[in-house]
Amino acid sequence: MLSLERVISTLFILVGTGLMVAFCHLMVQYSYLKGFDSVEGDVVHSEIVTGGRFSATKGGGTFSKPSVTYRFAIGAKTYTSNSVNLASSLGSFDFYNGSETWAQDRLSDLVVDGKVQVYYAQDDPGTSYLDNELAGEFFFLPAAALVLYLLGYFLFKGKLKIAVAQQDDD
């Protein structure tokens, strides 16, 4: 019969493995991104987006991030995009956010006099970003995976026990 510790340890190890797979995927995407060419683009629209899908709080305030729609030309073809960085294209893994002050500072760094530096894929110029750096928060993935692996290992080996409260039948 499977013990509660073995079931939970297996879940921890599976989730840890999922986090490591996500991290490896991000590293592959990041190495691809570092090979992008760059060109100057024009800003179509820019703003600070506050709240977002999760409307979570960070340091007492809501999440904010820069939003920029831009246009750039490669040869005779013009492209329009709103992908600010790799994280902004990852949906729920979007760590490219912070306080409103941080977002305003990032927007000021990205947009200068209505112009932006666009990094684009040579084989698919429609894939482009304004920021070719990886957010430091992505590095929590292997750290979280390690914690889950260790918890899973110690639960599996019986070094940790899970206390289950039981009711008295009076």
Side-chain angles (χ1 to χ4, degrees), residues 80-91:
T80 302
S81 179
N82 63 353
S83 295
V84 175
N85 80 343
L86 178 62
S88 65
S89 68
L90 297 174

Side-chain angles (χ1 to χ4, degrees), residues 119-163:
Y119 299 92
Y120 67 93
Q122 299 88 336
D123 57 342
D124 178 18
T127 301
S128 64
Y129 303 102
L130 300 181
D131 186 351
N132 70 343
E133 296 300 322
L134 191 62
E137 289 86 351
F138 282 119
F139 296 101
F140 93 89
L141 292 171
L146 178 63
V147 168
L148 289 172
Y149 284 145
L150 289 173
L151 285 171
Y153 173 79
F154 288 122
L155 280 169
F156 192 82
K157 290 294 190 180
K159 305 283 185 194
L160 290 175
K161 296 287 183 191
I162 296 176

Side-chain angles (χ1 to χ4, degrees), residues 42-92:
D42 296 310
V43 174
V44 175
H45 177 76
S46 66
E47 66 180 331
I48 302 298
V49 177
T50 301
R53 206 163 91 181
F54 300 110
S55 295
T57 59
K58 183 177 187 179
T62 58
F63 285 133
S64 297
K65 64 182 178 179
S67 174
V68 182
T69 302
Y70 53 93
R71 186 176 298 124
F72 63 101
I74 303 298
K77 187 157 179 162
T78 300
Y79 298 88
T80 302
S81 179
N82 63 353
S83 295
V84 175
N85 80 343
L86 178 62
S88 65
S89 68
L90 297 174
S92 61

